[in-house]
Amino acid sequence: MRSTPRPRRSNTRQQIQEVARDFFMERGYEKTSLREIADELGVTKAALYYHFRTKEDILVSLFSDVGIALDELIFWGRQQHRSLAVKRELLARSSVIFSGAAPLFNVLNANQATLSDLSVGQDFKDRVTALSELLQEPDASVAAKVRCVTALLSLLYGTFAIEHIEGDAEEKRLALLAGATELLTSAYPTDDSDPRASTLDAPSATAPKAEPTAS
Amino acid sequence: MRSTPRPRRSNTRQQIQEVARDFFMERGYEKTSLREIADELGVTKAALYYHFRTKEDILVSLFSDVGIALDELIFWGRQQHRSLAVKRELLARSSVIFSGAAPLFNVLNANQATLSDLSVGQDFKDRVTALSELLQEPDASVAAKVRCVTALLSLLYGTFAIEHIEGDAEEKRLALLAGATELLTSAYPTDDSDPRASTLDAPSATAPKAEPTAS
Amino acid sequence: MRSTPRPRRSNTRQQIQEVARDFFMERGYEKTSLREIADELGVTKAALYYHFRTKEDILVSLFSDVGIALDELIFWGRQQHRSLAVKRELLARSSVIFSGAAPLFNVLNANQATLSDLSVGQDFKDRVTALSELLQEPDASVAAKVRCVTALLSLLYGTFAIEHIEGDAEEKRLALLAGATELLTSAYPTDDSDPRASTLDAPSATAPKAEPTAS
Amino acid sequence: MRSTPRPRRSNTRQQIQEVARDFFMERGYEKTSLREIADELGVTKAALYYHFRTKEDILVSLFSDVGIALDELIFWGRQQHRSLAVKRELLARSSVIFSGAAPLFNVLNANQATLSDLSVGQDFKDRVTALSELLQEPDASVAAKVRCVTALLSLLYGTFAIEHIEGDAEEKRLALLAGATELLTSAYPTDDSDPRASTLDAPSATAPKAEPTAS
DNA sequence: CATGAATGAGGATTCATTCAT
DNA sequence: AATGAATGAATCCTCATTCAT
């Protein structure tokens, strides 16, 4: 999951990140105070400032890996010529990234308002926008565009929602992907293949570096 | 600050709600201070407290209408026997409610973390959960359940997202609904009608205020 | 108990006084807000201001009767020549006044700090001081003075405290008075009568106008 | 505001306590704002919060010593068998504690209403009640009970009052104690010793810190 | 006789951040 | 690598009071 093997400075830095991630998930970014993080670790607030320049920095540091993964995917997508197959592949790879870092995306999602004027929040929105543009044909019908956008969104938001359904995680992920792919496919005017079956064979769900541990 | 002396029998209460709604949308609930709202209206913070007991109260007051609409829909849904037609209708009516109060839902969505421990936040989550349970067959396959949940979610989140696509609002809404209905329909094992076409005639979905006759 | 038969303006005025007295007793003067009083009566805060000029005014109005009673007693005491008998009488009459308006004195006592810079608080302190000076011989020994002061105080503070002892109110009052009188008597160097018995015959417990309904 | 930069390893905590104690005495707990305390010390309100968790905490911190002393005395009292001698000793030791912390007790007394719903206020009331129960025989006459309670109260309230009488502090304390002891003694039905003389030799009452050997 | 609407001053508390040590 | 002490700005909220109607 981590692309650049980060230097193992002290482990305090890592601990801060872990506690911060947990707290941001539980109570949200805004409502997590540095004091709480410090207390949980048994250190002083000032200690946090030794490792991170600001509170936002802690947040940002959590997203570097996932940000890179998304950027790589977008870069890849722009390289390809626009075909249904490529778009399906984009969806498949997005699914892997999303579910590999579900907690993190959840933080972003649940704190949209708070994070919107922090770079990390805007960056994320931009990436999703970029992705959804890769899925749309510029001159498609409104209905088609709506379907494309919905495909991506259902993948993203579905990832959090399906955690409440009991069942095998990977099975759920694939079901979600299948639905999203149908939505995408149905945006294409004439299409020989049976939309309901097609998606399940979207194979290359393993994006270049993204190795999702099927948690 | 105030140039024209405001009228005695005032509509201040309403103005507060309007400004609050706008600010909550723009910068989020937590990051909107009562001072800002008061300043915008040219009144004192204390004036807000004349009209609302707490900051949360302002928020809650914004949602009473929508809350009632959702509750009525859920009530109606529970009255019906579970059939695909009923579920389509649920989706259709949800679509109407969602897009009728899109800004409000956006506030809830973008401030999830912040609002999670406010009753209004939890209430909303409960309602969506109730709705999504009405769409699922308890003994359906995991894949089917995932599709049902996704159908509702794509409707909900899609409502905000499609605002960035140019085109007629109603047309976009129907397209979104069509996608969601397909997702739902495809969760049904054997189904004679063509799933892709069927949904578009979901009948009363176009009636602005679907009056669920609690039969 | 009331010396000047107050005009029966509206009964709202009286109701305000009653509620205020109760609340001042329960939660204290400072911690009782005008809103609470108004709410209890089902009127607006502004209505209170029709009947009383300020919050302090409400408080002051409660004490006019008792203030007069004390002033009369002090006036009477100054008229007499200083003898043990007169002092006993002072104590006896104080006892009647104190227990006749115990709740009110309790308010003063429990809110000393708050009321010290309100005229009503200072007035009360002055009166108690005046009373205790009437009990002391200016050239008595320190020990004697201490006893005289203690006699009065035990009467005053005892009045609240003995409410928690079960038993007949008047019996308790007389016991309290007996103790106080002993204290006073023992401050007198040579004294033929038996101090333990003497006090119980302090007869004229009915001060001129103070008609204590033996509640 | 601050001319000399305060020392690093500071005694600020203590200074806060001192200023707070003084202000609480002068104007009362409620009417003392943290801003006033902070200003007096030339620090920010936030600085107070570095040293104490809440305003109440500052108050509580002032009472820890006295609270312990009272608890020890009560503990000791409960250990002994109930005899007049023990009760006299209780009174004597109470006298030492009360006059040793007169300003503090004054704060409690003058702010009763305000502090009644703070733990420290209730704790204090409970302790006085416990003490007064140790002085009473459960099956004594009402008159006797009243005398016992009065004995303790006169000691408590007398402690503040006698500060206004000129004279040696210790002499005044002993006079007060003598009066209280008489009150207590007179509650005992038949008693060979002369009540008026007996109390003055109450032995360990003069030992500054009566060490109750919890026998 | 009373209300509806509002104010201004002040309350306790919390937070991210800083910096000398 | 981390702490102790402190700041400044902001937060929500409460209160006694006012005044035109």
Side-chain angles (χ1 to χ4, degrees), chain C residues 25 99 102-103 106 157-167 172 215:
Chain C
M25 277 172 51
S99 61
N106 211 348
Y157 292 107
T159 302
F160 323 134
I162 61 177
E163 295 194 339
H164 303 307
I165 299 177
E166 87 289 1
K172 289 187 291 181
S215 89

Side-chain angles (χ1 to χ4, degrees), chain C residues 85-131:
Chain C
V86 165
K87 291 175 183 172
R88 282 180 174 173
E89 185 67 20
L90 277 169
L91 235 36
R93 294 187 181 183
S94 296
S95 169
V96 174
I97 296 177
F98 290 165
S99 61
L104 252 28
F105 283 107
N106 211 348
V107 169
L108 285 176
N109 180 46
N111 295 275
Q112 272 178 62
T114 300
L115 305 184
S116 67
D117 54 353
L118 266 45
S119 65
V120 69
Q122 201 51 55
D123 287 357
F124 175 70
K125 276 192 182 170
D126 292 347
R127 283 164 182 145
V128 172
T129 303
L131 228 35

Side-chain angles (χ1 to χ4, degrees), chain D residues 115-163:
Chain D
L115 304 185
S116 66
D117 53 356
L118 266 44
S119 67
V120 70
Q122 201 50 56
D123 286 358
F124 175 70
K125 277 193 181 169
D126 291 347
R127 281 163 181 146
V128 172
T129 303
L131 229 33
S132 94
E133 270 162 9
L134 284 174
L135 295 177
Q136 292 173 50
E137 291 303 313
D139 53 351
S141 70
V142 168
K145 282 183 175 173
V146 168
R147 274 184 149 80
C148 290
V149 171
T150 314
L152 187 63
L153 288 183
S154 67
L155 212 51
L156 179 54
Y157 291 106
T159 303
F160 322 134
I162 61 178
E163 293 193 340

Side-chain angles (χ1 to χ4, degrees), chain C residues 7-44:
Chain C
R8 202 154 273 285
R9 305 204 204 188
S10 78
N11 71 41
T12 304
R13 197 188 143 91
Q14 257 176 62
Q15 286 179 262
I16 293 173
Q17 287 176 313
E18 280 159 28
V19 171
R21 174 169 42 74
D22 292 349
F23 280 17
F24 291 166
M25 277 172 51
E26 283 169 32
R27 1 191 149 165
Y29 174 77
E30 193 97 332
K31 284 177 24 195
T32 299
S33 80
L34 294 186
R35 182 171 59 67
E36 286 169 314
I37 297 178
D39 284 1
E40 175 77 14
L41 285 167
V43 298
T44 339

Side-chain angles (χ1 to χ4, degrees), chain C residues 24-31 106 109-118 136 138 141-147 149-150 153-155 157-158 160-162 165-168 171-172 175-176 178-180 182-183 186 188-189 191 193 195-196 199, chain D residues 24-31 106 109-118 136 138 141-147 149-150 153-155 157-158 160-162 165-168 171-173 175-176 178-180 182-183 186 188-189 191 195-196 199:
Chain C
F24 291 166
M25 277 172 51
E26 283 169 32
R27 1 191 149 165
Y29 174 77
E30 193 97 332
K31 284 177 24 195
N106 211 348
N109 180 46
N111 295 275
Q112 272 178 62
T114 300
L115 305 184
S116 67
D117 54 353
L118 266 45
Q136 293 172 48
S141 70
V142 167
K145 283 182 173 173
V146 167
R147 273 183 150 81
V149 171
T150 313
L153 287 183
S154 68
L155 213 51
Y157 292 107
F160 323 134
I162 61 177
I165 299 177
E166 87 289 1
D168 174 63
E171 185 187 355
K172 289 187 291 181
L176 186 60
E182 269 174 46
L183 235 25
S186 70
Y188 268 68
D191 189 26
S193 66
R196 293 245 281 298
T199 54
Chain D
F24 291 167
M25 276 173 53
E26 282 170 32
R27 31 197 119 162
Y29 174 77
E30 197 94 333
K31 284 180 22 198
N106 210 350
N109 181 46
N111 294 276
Q112 271 179 63
T114 300
L115 304 185
S116 66
D117 53 356
L118 266 44
Q136 292 173 50
S141 70
V142 168
K145 282 183 175 173
V146 168
R147 274 184 149 80
V149 171
T150 314
L153 288 183
S154 67
L155 212 51
Y157 291 106
F160 322 134
I162 61 178
I165 299 177
E166 86 290 358
D168 175 61
E171 187 187 352
K172 289 186 292 180
R173 183 181 77 78
L176 187 60
E182 269 173 47
L183 236 25
S186 69
Y188 267 69
D191 191 25
R196 293 242 283 299
T199 54

